[in-house]
């Protein structure tokens, strides 16, 4: 199974590492890590990931296309037509088109989510309609051959759900056990509906600065999407 992972400067490392760690435990999986140029791509955590492919030699018909998300770097990447065109090209031939967190925004801007339900980070979810997608609050959302995970940590859940799709439930259970994936959130406020008012207000103020709506609007206009109905 060939998995093509697109990268861009400042993307959220966990968005990609979560599913890649899960999928690497399946047999006969090959990854292509793609960026504008081969070599190191710096992530949001200060760690670099090496791009093995660039836009000129990325697989045209991969089994899986995966796009990670991030904060402001995603909205800046949405202004990069070369990146969006490369994602669109790989997605057109992919058996599965997938994302984690706000990576769904890049899929949307690339024209790959029109009429599809999609998850995203809760703060970016309202913007999906700008690209013809149907926002879904699920932690993992599958709509035909589009699959998406919610914010950041949902990448592991998403990865395991997809293993069950591809290799069966028993393989997914085995990988979950080997990974010792048994989350016990220490504060119990990992979703907006679980947080108290003060924490939610602080989180909204923080995410508003790194997920600016005007950049989503600019990408939607440039890529030819009609304004979403209000």
């Amino acid at each position: 199974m060939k998995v093509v992972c697109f990268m861009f400067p400042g993307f959220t490392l966990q968005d990609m590492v979560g599913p890649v760690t899960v999928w690497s435990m399946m047999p006969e999986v090959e990854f292509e890590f793609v960026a504008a140029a081969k070599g190191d791509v710096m992530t949001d955590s200060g760690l670099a990931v090496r791009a093995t492919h660039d836009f000129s030699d990325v697989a045209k018909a991969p089994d899986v296309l995966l796009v990670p998300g991030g904060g402001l770097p995603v909205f800046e990447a949405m202004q990069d037509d070369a990146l969006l065109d490369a994602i669109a090209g790989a997605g057109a031939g992919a058996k599965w088109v997938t994302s984690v967190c706000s990576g769904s925004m890049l899929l949307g801007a690339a024209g790959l989510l029109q009429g599809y339900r999609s998850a995203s980070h809760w703060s970016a979810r309202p913007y999906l309609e700008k690209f013809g997608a149907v926002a879904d609050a699920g932690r993992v959302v599958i709509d035909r051959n589009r699959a998406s995970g919610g914010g950041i940590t949902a990448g592991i859940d998403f990865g395991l759900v997809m293993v069950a799709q591809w290799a069966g439930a028993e393989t997914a259970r085995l990988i979950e056990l080997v990974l010792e994936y048994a989350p016990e959130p220490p504060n119990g406020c990992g979703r907006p509906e679980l947080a108290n008012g003060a924490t939610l207000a602080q989180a909204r103020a923080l995410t508003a600065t790194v997920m600016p709506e005007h950049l989503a609007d600019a990408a939607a206009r440039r890529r030819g999407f009609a304004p979403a109905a209000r």
Side-chain angles (χ1 to χ4, degrees):
M1 186 174 75
K2 178 161 292 200
V3 181
V4 167
C5 305
F6 273 87
M7 305 189 297
F8 49 92
F11 77 92
T12 295
L13 179 62
Q14 180 61 35
D15 288 353
M16 189 174 73
V17 167
V20 165
T21 299
V22 172
W23 298 343
S24 67
M25 300 184 73
M26 293 192 300
E28 299 182 357
V29 177
E30 176 185 346
F31 295 96
E32 290 186 5
F33 297 98
V34 183
K38 296 175 185 176
D40 288 351
V41 178
M42 192 59 67
T43 71
D44 65 337
S45 62
L47 296 174
V49 179
R50 184 170 297 276
T52 57
H53 294 69
D54 60 29
F55 298 162
S56 69
D57 63 359
V58 59
K60 301 303 181 187
D63 295 288
V64 183
L65 164 67
L66 172 66
V67 179
L72 183 59
V74 165
F75 288 75
E76 293 173 340
M78 288 165 61
Q79 317 311 314
D80 183 347
D81 287 323
L83 171 63
L84 297 179
D85 289 345
I87 291 173
K95 293 179 182 177
W96 284 89
V97 175
T98 76
S99 63
V100 173
C101 195
S102 57
S104 56
M105 295 293 294
L106 289 167
L107 290 183
L112 295 172
L113 289 183
Q114 295 183 74
Y116 289 90
R117 291 185 300 112
S118 180
S120 191
H121 189 279
W122 59 266
S123 59
R125 200 183 301 143
Y127 302 157
L128 284 172
E129 66 178 11
K130 299 176 187 293
F131 303 100
V134 179
D136 192 307
R139 189 160 172 82
V140 179
V141 175
I142 298 177
D143 186 350
R144 290 158 282 175
N145 74 330
R146 267 52 170 176
S148 50
I152 309 175
T153 59
I156 297 177
D157 301 61
F158 160 75
L160 288 166
V161 168
M162 297 315 297
V163 169
Q165 289 278 326
W166 300 328
E170 182 54 38
T171 299
R173 284 193 289 266
L174 176 61
I175 293 174
E176 184 172 311
L177 177 57
V178 171
L179 290 175
E180 198 175 349
Y181 184 57
E184 298 180 4
N187 301 299
C189 61
R191 291 177 66 92
E193 60 270 23
L194 301 176
N196 62 42
T199 301
L200 181 57
Q202 289 180 336
R204 288 192 187 282
L206 175 63
T207 57
T209 64
V210 298
M211 295 190 177
E213 185 172 9
H214 74 276
L215 290 182
D217 288 334
R221 288 193 302 269
R222 199 184 67 259
R223 302 294 290 189
F225 292 90
R230 296 287 182 180

